[in-house]
Coordinates of all heavy atoms in Angstrom, one line a residue:
A555 N 38.3 36.4 -11.9 CA 39.2 36.3 -13.1 C 38.8 37.4 -14.1 O 39.7 38.0 -14.7 CB 39.1 34.9 -13.6
E556 N 37.5 37.6 -14.3 CA 37.0 38.6 -15.2 C 37.5 40.0 -14.8 O 37.9 40.8 -15.7 CB 35.5 38.6 -15.4 CG 35.0 37.3 -16.2 CD 33.5 37.3 -16.3 OE1 32.9 38.3 -15.9 OE2 33.0 36.3 -16.9
T557 N 37.4 40.3 -13.6 CA 37.8 41.6 -13.1 C 39.3 41.8 -13.3 O 39.7 42.9 -13.7 CB 37.5 41.7 -11.5 OG1 36.1 41.5 -11.4 CG2 37.9 43.1 -11.1
I558 N 40.1 40.8 -13.1 CA 41.5 40.9 -13.3 C 41.8 41.1 -14.8 O 42.6 42.0 -15.2 CB 42.2 39.6 -12.8 CG1 42.2 39.5 -11.3 CG2 43.7 39.5 -13.3 CD1 42.6 38.2 -10.8
V559 N 41.1 40.4 -15.7 CA 41.4 40.5 -17.1 C 41.0 41.9 -17.6 O 41.7 42.6 -18.3 CB 40.6 39.5 -17.9 CG1 40.6 39.8 -19.4 CG2 41.2 38.1 -17.7
E560 N 39.8 42.4 -17.2 CA 39.3 43.7 -17.6 C 40.2 44.8 -17.0 O 40.4 45.8 -17.7 CB 37.9 44.0 -17.2 CG 36.9 43.1 -17.9 CD 35.5 43.1 -17.4 OE1 35.2 43.8 -16.3 OE2 34.6 42.4 -17.9
S561 N 40.7 44.7 -15.8 CA 41.7 45.7 -15.2 C 42.9 45.7 -16.0 O 43.5 46.8 -16.3 CB 41.9 45.4 -13.8 OG 40.7 45.5 -13.0
Y562 N 43.4 44.5 -16.4 CA 44.8 44.4 -17.1 C 44.6 45.0 -18.5 O 45.5 45.8 -18.9 CB 45.2 43.0 -17.1 CG 46.5 42.8 -17.7 CD1 47.7 43.1 -17.0 CD2 46.7 42.4 -19.0 CE1 49.0 43.1 -17.6 CE2 47.9 42.2 -19.6 CZ 49.0 42.6 -18.9 OH 50.3 42.5 -19.5
V563 N 43.6 44.7 -19.2 CA 43.5 45.2 -20.6 C 42.8 46.5 -20.7 O 42.7 47.2 -21.7 CB 42.8 44.2 -21.5 CG1 43.7 42.9 -21.6 CG2 41.4 43.9 -21.1
N564 N 42.2 47.0 -19.5 CA 41.5 48.2 -19.4 C 40.4 48.4 -20.5 O 40.2 49.5 -21.0 CB 42.6 49.4 -19.5 CG 42.0 50.6 -18.9 OD1 41.2 50.6 -18.0 ND2 42.7 51.7 -19.2
T565 N 39.6 47.3 -20.6 CA 38.4 47.4 -21.4 C 37.5 46.3 -21.1 O 37.8 45.4 -20.2 CB 38.8 47.4 -23.0 OG1 37.6 47.8 -23.8 CG2 39.3 46.0 -23.4
I566 N 36.3 46.2 -21.7 CA 35.4 45.1 -21.5 C 35.1 44.4 -22.9 O 35.1 45.1 -23.9 CB 34.1 45.6 -20.9 CG1 33.4 46.7 -21.7 CG2 34.3 46.1 -19.5 CD1 32.0 47.1 -21.2
F567 N 34.7 43.2 -22.8 CA 34.4 42.5 -24.1 C 33.0 42.0 -24.1 O 32.7 40.8 -24.4 CB 35.4 41.3 -24.2 CG 36.8 41.8 -24.3 CD1 37.7 41.7 -23.2 CD2 37.3 42.3 -25.5 CE1 39.0 42.1 -23.3 CE2 38.6 42.8 -25.6 CZ 39.5 42.7 -24.5
Y568 N 32.1 42.8 -23.8 CA 30.6 42.6 -23.8 C 30.0 43.9 -23.9 O 30.6 45.0 -23.8 CB 30.2 41.8 -22.5 CG 30.5 42.4 -21.2 CD1 29.8 43.4 -20.6 CD2 31.8 42.1 -20.6 CE1 30.2 44.0 -19.4 CE2 32.1 42.6 -19.4 CZ 31.4 43.6 -18.8 OH 31.8 44.1 -17.6
S569 N 28.7 44.0 -24.1 CA 28.0 45.2 -24.4 C 27.3 45.6 -23.1 O 26.6 44.8 -22.5 CB 27.0 45.1 -25.5 OG 26.2 46.2 -25.7
I570 N 27.4 46.9 -22.7 CA 26.6 47.5 -21.7 C 25.9 48.8 -22.1 O 26.4 49.4 -23.0 CB 27.4 47.8 -20.3 CG1 28.5 48.8 -20.7 CG2 28.0 46.5 -19.8 CD1 29.2 49.3 -19.5
T571 N 24.7 49.0 -21.6 CA 23.9 50.3 -21.9 C 24.1 51.2 -20.8 O 23.8 50.9 -19.6 CB 22.5 50.0 -22.2 OG1 22.4 49.0 -23.2 CG2 21.7 51.2 -22.6
Q572 N 24.6 52.4 -21.1 CA 24.7 53.4 -20.0 C 24.8 54.8 -20.7 O 25.1 55.0 -21.8 CB 26.0 53.2 -19.2 CG 27.3 53.3 -19.8 CD 28.5 53.0 -19.0 OE1 28.4 52.2 -18.0 NE2 29.6 53.6 -19.2
S573 N 24.6 55.8 -19.8 CA 24.8 57.2 -20.2 C 26.0 57.8 -19.7 O 26.4 57.5 -18.5 CB 23.6 58.1 -19.6 OG 22.4 57.7 -20.2
V574 N 26.8 58.5 -20.5 CA 28.1 59.1 -20.1 C 28.2 60.5 -20.5 O 27.7 60.9 -21.6 CB 29.3 58.3 -20.8 CG1 30.6 58.8 -20.3 CG2 29.1 56.8 -20.5
Y575 N 28.7 61.3 -19.6 CA 28.9 62.8 -19.9 C 30.2 63.1 -20.4 O 31.2 62.6 -19.8 CB 28.5 63.5 -18.5 CG 27.1 63.5 -18.1 CD1 26.7 62.4 -17.3 CD2 26.2 64.4 -18.5 CE1 25.4 62.3 -16.8 CE2 24.9 64.3 -18.1 CZ 24.5 63.3 -17.2 OH 23.2 63.1 -16.9
F576 N 30.4 63.9 -21.3 CA 31.6 64.3 -21.9 C 31.8 65.8 -21.9 O 30.8 66.5 -21.8 CB 31.8 63.8 -23.3 CG 31.8 62.3 -23.4 CD1 30.6 61.6 -23.7 CD2 32.9 61.6 -23.2 CE1 30.6 60.3 -23.8 CE2 32.9 60.2 -23.3 CZ 31.8 59.5 -23.6
N577 N 33.0 66.3 -21.9 CA 33.3 67.7 -22.0 C 33.3 68.1 -23.4 O 34.1 67.7 -24.2 CB 34.6 68.0 -21.3 CG 34.7 67.7 -19.9 OD1 33.7 67.6 -19.2 ND2 35.9 67.4 -19.4
G578 N 32.4 69.1 -23.7 CA 32.4 69.7 -25.1 C 33.8 70.5 -25.3 O 34.2 71.2 -24.4
N579 N 34.4 70.3 -26.5 CA 35.8 70.8 -26.7 C 35.8 71.8 -27.8 O 37.0 72.3 -28.1 CB 36.7 69.6 -27.0 CG 36.1 68.7 -28.2 OD1 35.2 69.2 -28.9 ND2 36.7 67.6 -28.4
Q580 N 34.8 72.2 -28.4 CA 34.8 73.2 -29.5 C 35.6 72.7 -30.6 O 36.3 73.5 -31.3 CB 35.2 74.6 -29.0 CG 34.5 75.7 -29.8 CD 34.6 77.0 -29.1 OE1 35.2 77.2 -28.1 NE2 33.9 77.9 -29.7
N581 N 35.7 71.4 -30.8 CA 36.3 70.8 -32.0 C 35.3 70.0 -32.8 O 34.2 69.8 -32.3 CB 37.5 69.8 -31.6 CG 38.6 70.6 -30.9 OD1 39.0 71.7 -31.3 ND2 39.2 70.0 -29.9
Q582 N 35.7 69.6 -33.9 CA 34.8 68.8 -34.8 C 34.5 67.4 -34.2 O 33.5 66.9 -34.3 CB 35.3 68.7 -36.2 CG 34.3 67.9 -37.1 CD 34.8 67.8 -38.5 OE1 35.9 68.3 -38.9 NE2 34.1 67.2 -39.4
N583 N 35.6 66.8 -33.6 CA 35.5 65.5 -33.0 C 35.4 65.5 -31.5 O 36.1 66.2 -30.8 CB 36.6 64.6 -33.5 CG 36.7 64.4 -35.0 OD1 35.6 64.4 -35.6 ND2 37.9 64.3 -35.6
L584 N 34.5 64.7 -31.0 CA 34.4 64.6 -29.6 C 34.9 63.1 -29.2 O 34.3 62.1 -29.5 CB 32.9 64.7 -29.1 CG 32.6 64.5 -27.6 CD1 33.2 65.7 -26.9 CD2 31.1 64.4 -27.4
Y585 N 36.1 63.1 -28.6 CA 36.8 61.8 -28.4 C 36.2 61.2 -27.1 O 36.1 61.9 -26.1 CB 38.2 62.0 -28.3 CG 38.8 62.4 -29.6 CD1 39.1 63.7 -29.9 CD2 39.0 61.4 -30.6 CE1 39.6 64.1 -31.2 CE2 39.5 61.8 -31.8 CZ 39.8 63.1 -32.1 OH 40.2 63.5 -33.4
L586 N 35.7 60.0 -27.2 CA 35.1 59.3 -26.1 C 36.1 58.6 -25.1 O 35.6 58.3 -23.9 CB 34.1 58.2 -26.6 CG 33.1 58.7 -27.7 CD1 32.3 57.6 -28.3 CD2 32.3 59.8 -27.2
A587 N 37.3 58.5 -25.4 CA 38.2 57.8 -24.5 C 38.7 58.7 -23.4 O 39.4 58.3 -22.5 CB 39.4 57.4 -25.3
Q588 N 38.2 59.9 -23.3 CA 38.5 60.8 -22.2 C 37.9 60.3 -20.9 O 38.4 60.6 -19.8 CB 38.1 62.3 -22.5 CG 36.6 62.4 -22.7 CD 36.2 63.9 -23.0 OE1 36.7 64.8 -22.4 NE2 35.3 64.1 -24.0
F589 N 36.8 59.5 -20.9 CA 36.3 58.9 -19.8 C 36.1 57.4 -19.8 O 36.0 56.8 -18.8 CB 34.9 59.5 -19.5 CG 35.0 61.0 -19.1 CD1 34.6 61.9 -20.0 CD2 35.4 61.4 -17.9 CE1 34.6 63.2 -19.7 CE2 35.5 62.7 -17.6 CZ 35.1 63.7 -18.5
L590 N 36.1 56.8 -21.0 CA 35.9 55.4 -21.2 C 37.0 54.8 -22.0 O 37.5 55.4 -22.9 CB 34.5 55.1 -21.9 CG 33.3 55.5 -21.1 CD1 32.1 55.3 -22.1 CD2 33.1 54.7 -19.9
N591 N 37.4 53.5 -21.7 CA 38.4 52.9 -22.4 C 37.8 51.7 -23.3 O 38.4 50.8 -23.6 CB 39.5 52.3 -21.5 CG 40.3 53.4 -21.0 OD1 40.6 54.4 -21.7 ND2 40.6 53.3 -19.7
Y592 N 36.6 51.9 -23.6 CA 36.0 50.9 -24.6 C 35.1 51.7 -25.6 O 34.6 52.8 -25.2 CB 35.2 49.9 -23.9 CG 34.4 50.2 -22.6 CD1 33.1 50.6 -22.6 CD2 35.1 50.1 -21.4 CE1 32.4 51.0 -21.5 CE2 34.4 50.5 -20.2 CZ 33.1 50.9 -20.2 OH 32.5 51.3 -19.1
P593 N 34.9 51.2 -26.8 CA 34.3 51.9 -27.9 C 32.8 51.9 -27.7 O 32.2 51.1 -26.9 CB 34.7 51.1 -29.1 CG 34.9 49.7 -28.6 CD 35.5 49.9 -27.2
I594 N 32.1 52.8 -28.4 CA 30.7 52.9 -28.5 C 30.2 52.0 -29.6 O 30.8 52.1 -30.8 CB 30.1 54.3 -28.6 CG1 28.6 54.3 -28.4 CG2 30.6 54.9 -29.8 CD1 28.1 55.7 -28.2
I595 N 29.2 51.2 -29.4 CA 28.6 50.3 -30.4 C 27.5 51.1 -31.2 O 27.4 51.1 -32.4 CB 28.1 49.0 -29.8 CG1 29.3 48.2 -29.2 CG2 27.4 48.2 -30.9 CD1 28.8 47.1 -28.4
S596 N 26.6 51.6 -30.4 CA 25.5 52.5 -31.0 C 25.1 53.5 -29.9 O 25.2 53.3 -28.7 CB 24.3 51.6 -31.2 OG 23.8 51.0 -30.1
A597 N 24.6 54.7 -30.5 CA 24.1 55.8 -29.6 C 22.6 55.9 -29.7 O 22.1 56.1 -30.8 CB 24.8 57.0 -29.9
S598 N 21.9 55.7 -28.6 CA 20.4 55.9 -28.7 C 20.1 57.4 -28.6 O 19.2 57.8 -29.3 CB 19.7 55.1 -27.6 OG 20.2 55.4 -26.3
T599 N 20.8 58.2 -27.8 CA 20.6 59.6 -27.7 C 21.9 60.3 -27.5 O 22.9 59.8 -26.9 CB 19.7 60.1 -26.6 OG1 20.2 59.6 -25.3 CG2 18.3 59.4 -26.7
C600 N 22.0 61.5 -28.0 CA 23.2 62.4 -27.8 C 22.5 63.8 -27.6 O 21.9 64.3 -28.5 CB 24.1 62.4 -29.0 SG 25.5 63.5 -28.8
T601 N 22.8 64.4 -26.4 CA 22.2 65.7 -26.1 C 23.2 66.6 -25.5 O 24.2 66.2 -24.9 CB 21.1 65.5 -25.1 OG1 21.5 64.8 -23.9 CG2 19.9 64.7 -25.7
E602 N 22.9 67.9 -25.6 CA 23.7 68.9 -24.8 C 22.9 69.2 -23.6 O 21.6 69.5 -23.7 CB 23.9 70.2 -25.7 CG 24.7 71.3 -24.9 CD 24.8 72.5 -25.7 OE1 24.4 72.6 -26.9 OE2 25.3 73.5 -25.1
V603 N 23.5 69.2 -22.5 CA 22.8 69.4 -21.2 C 23.4 70.5 -20.4 O 24.6 70.8 -20.6 CB 22.7 68.1 -20.4 CG1 21.8 67.1 -21.1 CG2 24.0 67.6 -20.0
D604 N 22.6 71.1 -19.4 CA 23.3 72.1 -18.5 C 23.6 71.4 -17.2 O 23.6 70.2 -17.1 CB 22.3 73.3 -18.3 CG 21.0 72.9 -17.6 OD1 20.8 71.8 -17.2 OD2 20.1 73.8 -17.6
E605 N 23.9 72.2 -16.1 CA 24.3 71.7 -14.9 C 23.3 70.8 -14.2 O 23.6 69.9 -13.4 CB 24.8 72.8 -13.9 CG 25.9 73.7 -14.4 CD 25.4 74.8 -15.4 OE1 24.2 75.1 -15.3 OE2 26.2 75.2 -16.1
E606 N 22.0 71.1 -14.4 CA 20.9 70.3 -13.9 C 20.4 69.2 -14.7 O 19.3 68.7 -14.5 CB 19.8 71.2 -13.5 CG 20.0 72.1 -12.2 CD 20.3 73.5 -12.6 OE1 19.9 74.0 -13.7 OE2 21.1 74.2 -11.8
D607 N 21.2 68.9 -15.7 CA 20.8 67.8 -16.7 C 19.6 68.1 -17.5 O 18.9 67.2 -18.0 CB 20.6 66.5 -15.9 CG 21.0 65.3 -16.8 OD1 21.7 65.4 -17.8 OD2 20.3 64.2 -16.6
T608 N 19.3 69.4 -17.7 CA 18.2 69.8 -18.5 C 18.7 69.8 -20.0 O 19.8 70.3 -20.3 CB 17.8 71.3 -18.2 OG1 17.4 71.3 -16.8 CG2 16.6 71.7 -19.1
V609 N 17.9 69.2 -20.9 CA 18.3 69.0 -22.3 C 18.2 70.4 -23.0 O 17.1 71.0 -23.0 CB 17.5 68.0 -23.0 CG1 17.8 68.0 -24.5 CG2 17.7 66.6 -22.3
L610 N 19.3 70.9 -23.5 CA 19.4 72.1 -24.2 C 19.2 71.9 -25.7 O 18.7 72.8 -26.4 CB 20.6 72.9 -24.0 CG 20.9 73.2 -22.5 CD1 22.3 73.8 -22.4 CD2 19.9 74.1 -21.9
W611 N 19.7 70.8 -26.2 CA 19.7 70.5 -27.6 C 19.8 69.0 -27.8 O 20.6 68.4 -27.1 CB 20.9 71.2 -28.4 CG 20.8 71.1 -29.8 CD1 21.6 70.2 -30.6 CD2 20.0 71.8 -30.7 NE1 21.3 70.4 -31.9 CE2 20.4 71.4 -32.0 CE3 19.0 72.8 -30.6 CZ2 19.7 71.9 -33.1 CZ3 18.4 73.2 -31.7 CH2 18.8 72.8 -33.0
T612 N 19.1 68.4 -28.8 CA 19.2 67.0 -29.1 C 19.9 66.8 -30.5 O 19.5 67.5 -31.4 CB 17.9 66.3 -29.1 OG1 17.3 66.5 -27.7 CG2 18.0 64.8 -29.4
Y613 N 21.0 66.0 -30.5 CA 21.6 65.8 -31.8 C 21.2 64.4 -32.3 O 21.0 63.5 -31.6 CB 23.1 65.7 -31.5 CG 23.7 67.0 -31.0 CD1 24.1 67.1 -29.7 CD2 23.9 68.1 -31.8 CE1 24.6 68.2 -29.1 CE2 24.5 69.3 -31.3 CZ 24.7 69.3 -30.0 OH 25.3 70.5 -29.4
E614 N 21.0 64.4 -33.7 CA 20.5 63.2 -34.4 C 21.7 62.5 -35.0 O 22.4 63.2 -35.8 CB 19.4 63.5 -35.3 CG 18.1 64.1 -34.7 CD 17.1 64.4 -35.7 OE1 17.2 63.9 -36.8 OE2 16.3 65.3 -35.5
E615 N 21.9 61.3 -34.9 CA 22.9 60.5 -35.6 C 22.7 60.5 -37.1 O 21.5 60.3 -37.5 CB 23.0 59.1 -35.0 CG 24.1 58.3 -35.7 CD 24.2 56.9 -35.2 OE1 23.5 56.5 -34.2 OE2 25.1 56.2 -35.7
G616 N 23.7 60.8 -37.8 CA 23.5 60.8 -39.3 C 23.2 62.2 -39.8 O 23.6 62.6 -40.9
T617 N 22.5 63.0 -39.0 CA 22.1 64.3 -39.4 C 23.1 65.3 -38.8 O 23.7 66.2 -39.5 CB 20.7 64.7 -39.0 OG1 19.8 63.7 -39.5 CG2 20.3 66.1 -39.4
D618 N 23.2 65.2 -37.5 CA 24.1 66.2 -36.7 C 25.5 65.7 -36.5 O 26.5 66.4 -36.4 CB 23.5 66.6 -35.4 CG 22.2 67.3 -35.5 OD1 22.1 68.2 -36.4 OD2 21.2 66.9 -34.8
F619 N 25.7 64.3 -36.4 CA 27.0 63.8 -36.1 C 27.1 62.4 -36.7 O 26.0 61.7 -37.0 CB 27.2 63.7 -34.6 CG 26.4 62.7 -33.8 CD1 26.9 61.4 -33.6 CD2 25.2 63.0 -33.3 CE1 26.1 60.5 -32.9 CE2 24.4 62.1 -32.7 CZ 24.8 60.8 -32.5
V620 N 28.3 62.0 -36.9 CA 28.6 60.6 -37.4 C 29.3 59.9 -36.2 O 30.2 60.3 -35.6 CB 29.5 60.7 -38.6 CG1 29.9 59.3 -39.1 CG2 29.0 61.5 -39.7
L621 N 28.7 58.6 -36.0 CA 29.2 57.8 -34.9 C 30.4 56.9 -35.4 O 30.3 56.2 -36.4 CB 28.0 56.9 -34.5 CG 28.4 56.0 -33.3 CD1 28.5 56.7 -32.0 CD2 27.3 54.9 -33.2
K622 N 31.5 57.0 -34.7 CA 32.6 56.2 -34.9 C 32.9 55.5 -33.6 O 32.4 55.9 -32.5 CB 33.9 57.0 -35.3 CG 33.7 57.8 -36.5 CD 33.6 57.1 -37.8 CE 33.5 57.9 -39.0 NZ 33.4 57.1 -40.2
P623 N 33.7 54.3 -33.6 CA 33.8 53.6 -32.4 C 34.5 54.4 -31.2 O 34.1 54.2 -30.1 CB 34.7 52.4 -32.8 CG 34.5 52.2 -34.2 CD 34.2 53.7 -34.7
W624 N 35.4 55.3 -31.5 CA 36.1 56.0 -30.5 C 35.8 57.5 -30.4 O 36.4 58.2 -29.6 CB 37.6 55.8 -30.6 CG 37.9 54.4 -30.4 CD1 38.2 53.4 -31.4 CD2 38.1 53.6 -29.2 NE1 38.4 52.2 -30.8 CE2 38.4 52.3 -29.5 CE3 37.9 54.0 -27.9 CZ2 38.5 51.4 -28.4 CZ3 38.0 53.1 -26.9 CH2 38.4 51.8 -27.1
Y625 N 35.0 58.0 -31.3 CA 34.6 59.4 -31.3 C 33.4 59.7 -32.0 O 32.8 58.9 -32.8 CB 35.7 60.3 -31.8 CG 36.1 60.1 -33.3 CD1 35.5 60.9 -34.3 CD2 36.9 59.1 -33.7 CE1 35.8 60.7 -35.6 CE2 37.2 58.9 -35.0 CZ 36.6 59.7 -36.0 OH 36.9 59.5 -37.3
L626 N 32.7 60.9 -31.8 CA 31.6 61.4 -32.5 C 32.1 62.6 -33.3 O 32.8 63.5 -32.8 CB 30.5 61.9 -31.6 CG 30.0 60.9 -30.5 CD1 28.9 61.5 -29.6 CD2 29.4 59.6 -31.2
S627 N 31.8 62.6 -34.6 CA 32.2 63.7 -35.5 C 31.0 64.5 -36.0 O 30.1 63.9 -36.4 CB 33.0 63.0 -36.7 OG 33.4 64.1 -37.5
K628 N 31.1 65.8 -35.8 CA 30.1 66.7 -36.3 C 29.9 66.5 -37.8 O 30.9 66.4 -38.5 CB 30.4 68.1 -36.0 CG 30.2 68.5 -34.5 CD 28.8 68.3 -34.2 CE 28.3 69.5 -33.5 NZ 26.9 69.5 -33.3
N629 N 28.7 66.6 -38.2 CA 28.4 66.4 -39.7 C 28.4 67.8 -40.3 O 27.8 68.7 -39.8 CB 27.0 65.8 -39.8 CG 26.8 65.2 -41.1 OD1 27.4 65.6 -42.1 ND2 25.8 64.3 -41.3
W630 N 29.1 67.8 -41.5 CA 29.3 69.1 -42.2 C 28.0 69.5 -42.9 O 27.8 70.6 -43.3 CB 30.4 69.0 -43.1 CG 31.7 69.1 -42.5 CD1 32.3 68.2 -41.7 CD2 32.6 70.3 -42.5 NE1 33.5 68.6 -41.2 CE2 33.8 69.9 -41.8 CE3 32.6 71.5 -43.2 CZ2 34.8 70.7 -41.6 CZ3 33.7 72.3 -43.0 CH2 34.7 72.0 -42.2
N631 N 27.0 68.6 -43.0 CA 25.8 68.8 -43.9 C 24.8 69.6 -43.2 O 23.9 70.1 -43.8 CB 25.3 67.5 -44.3 CG 26.2 66.7 -45.2 OD1 27.0 67.3 -45.8 ND2 26.1 65.4 -45.2
R632 N 24.9 69.8 -41.9 CA 23.8 70.5 -41.2 C 24.4 71.6 -40.2 O 25.2 71.3 -39.4 CB 23.0 69.6 -40.3 CG 21.9 70.3 -39.5 CD 21.0 69.2 -38.9 NE 20.0 70.0 -38.1 CZ 19.2 69.5 -37.3 NH1 19.1 68.2 -37.1 NH2 18.4 70.3 -36.6
L633 N 24.0 72.8 -40.4 CA 24.3 73.9 -39.5 C 23.1 74.4 -38.8 O 22.0 74.5 -39.4 CB 25.0 75.0 -40.4 CG 26.3 74.6 -41.1 CD1 26.8 75.8 -41.9 CD2 27.4 74.2 -40.1
S634 N 23.3 74.7 -37.6 CA 22.2 75.3 -36.9 C 22.7 76.4 -35.9 O 23.9 76.5 -35.8 CB 21.4 74.2 -36.1 OG 22.2 73.8 -35.0
Y635 N 21.8 77.1 -35.2 CA 22.2 78.1 -34.3 C 22.9 77.5 -33.1 O 23.7 78.2 -32.4 CB 21.1 79.0 -33.8 CG 20.1 78.3 -32.9 CD1 20.2 78.4 -31.5 CD2 19.0 77.5 -33.3 CE1 19.4 77.8 -30.6 CE2 18.2 76.9 -32.5 CZ 18.3 77.0 -31.1 OH 17.5 76.4 -30.2
R636 N 22.8 76.2 -32.8 CA 23.5 75.6 -31.6 C 24.9 75.1 -32.0 O 25.6 74.6 -31.2 CB 22.7 74.4 -31.1 CG 21.3 74.7 -30.5 CD 21.5 75.6 -29.3 NE 22.3 74.8 -28.3 CZ 22.8 75.4 -27.2 NH1 22.7 76.7 -27.1 NH2 23.5 74.7 -26.4

Side-chain angles (χ1 to χ4, degrees):
E556 288 182 2
T557 302
I558 291 169
V559 168
E560 290 172 0
S561 297
Y562 184 76
V563 298
N564 206 19
T565 194
I566 58 173
F567 298 103
Y568 51 89
S569 173
I570 59 171
T571 301
Q572 66 182 30
S573 296
V574 183
Y575 294 86
F576 296 95
N577 297 335
N579 55 10
Q580 211 163 5
N581 291 323
Q582 182 182 359
N583 296 327
L584 181 67
Y585 294 99
L586 307 176
Q588 58 182 321
F589 295 106
L590 296 176
N591 288 321
Y592 34 92
I594 187 167
I595 299 168
S596 65
S598 55
T599 60
C600 179
T601 56
E602 180 184 355
V603 296
D604 65 8
E605 300 84 22
E606 283 104 28
D607 205 28
T608 304
V609 175
L610 302 175
W611 186 259
T612 301
Y613 300 102
E614 296 177 24
E615 183 180 354
T617 304
D618 295 315
F619 69 94
V620 178
L621 180 73
K622 302 292 183 179
W624 295 100
Y625 64 95
L626 305 178
S627 181
K628 283 298 231 165
N629 197 341
W630 284 72
N631 296 333
R632 180 173 175 187
L633 296 176
S634 71
Y635 73 93
R636 295 292 305 160

